[in-house]
Amino acid sequence: GFSKQMVEILNKHGVSFSSFDIFSDEEVRQGLKTFSNWPTYPQLYVAGELIGGLDIIKELEASGELDTICPKAQKLEDRLKSLINKAPVMLFMKGNKQMAKCGFSKQILEIMNNTGVDYETFDILEDEEVRQGLKTFSNWPTYPQLYVKGELVGGLDIVKELKENGELLPVLKGEN
């Protein structure tokens, strides 16, 4: 019951946390009581320091201090903005620069590699949250997706069209 309450409070405040089941390791269970000089569970630690048990967490929540002590989980939108702006030219694709994992990604890699412009890639197959979230965020339903200076250029069809019109290089260099 106490652990459940602690988890509910942390979730309610958007705290980024992980947990350890003390029933899974009796040595850790007993050792932590001695180590922390705290006889009961749950115990909340932030950056390796014991904050306290449920009673302390409830007091911190009531005083508003809990939000300043605990690290927040990064919101998906903030994470996507950060990834999109990781490099001036960012390609979200199936696979990476070394190995495309679908035909469309392979085609866009060939085009990108022939421009001589530096770019970074993100493998959407490695992160389902980004894969689904970026479709909504960019209002673009398919991959690959190419971004320049944080702005969506488009997918393979758009990139092919820009290449044929001689506009791809200026776009990639942020001249348009």
Side-chain angles (χ1 to χ4, degrees):
F2 295 129
S3 293
K4 185 178 176 198
Q5 288 179 55
M6 174 87 81
V7 167
E8 286 170 358
I9 291 169
L10 295 176
N11 282 334
K12 184 169 87 179
H13 288 266
V15 175
S16 176
F17 71 95
S18 59
S19 61
F20 178 81
D21 179 1
I22 53 160
F23 291 121
S24 70
D25 191 325
E26 188 61 28
E27 189 177 12
V28 170
R29 182 180 181 184
Q30 297 308 324
L32 204 51
K33 289 179 185 180
T34 307
F35 172 80
S36 64
N37 197 22
W38 197 270
T40 60
Y41 289 101
Q43 296 179 4
L44 181 68
Y45 291 80
V46 174
E49 295 294 318
L50 176 67
I51 304 302
L54 182 60
D55 51 345
I56 303 283
I57 300 315
K58 285 181 172 178
E59 286 174 25
L60 289 170
E61 181 184 32
S63 71
E65 290 178 79
L66 186 65
D67 289 325
T68 59
I69 292 172
C70 294
K72 294 286 187 199
Q74 191 178 22
K75 289 188 176 74
L76 178 59
E77 186 173 325
D78 295 337
R79 190 164 164 238
L80 293 174
K81 285 179 184 172
S82 175
L83 285 169
I84 287 166
N85 289 288
K86 186 178 167 196
V89 180
M90 198 63 200
L91 178 61
F92 291 83
M93 59 178 283
K94 293 178 180 174
N96 56 41
K97 273 185 178 178
Q98 289 72 40
M99 192 180 92
K101 293 181 182 167
C102 87
F104 298 120
S105 292
K106 186 173 192 267
Q107 288 179 56
I108 205 165
L109 277 184
E110 288 170 4
I111 293 169
M112 293 298 295
N113 289 338
N114 286 328
T115 65
V117 172
D118 275 342
Y119 66 98
E120 292 292 321
T121 60
F122 184 90
D123 184 354
I124 57 154
L125 298 175
E126 300 288 319
D127 192 320
E128 191 61 24
E129 187 182 39
V130 169
R131 182 180 184 173
Q132 297 308 325
L134 195 58
K135 289 179 189 180
T136 306
F137 179 82
S138 64
N139 198 20
W140 195 269
T142 59
Y143 289 100
Q145 290 183 15
L146 180 66
Y147 291 79
V148 175
K149 294 184 179 173
E151 296 293 319
L152 176 67
V153 173
L156 178 61
D157 291 347
I158 303 283
V159 170
K160 280 181 172 178
E161 196 176 300
L162 289 169
K163 182 185 168 210
E164 287 165 17
N165 297 342
E167 298 171 32
L168 183 59
L169 211 49
V171 166
L172 292 176
K173 292 180 177 178
E175 295 168 4
N176 282 22

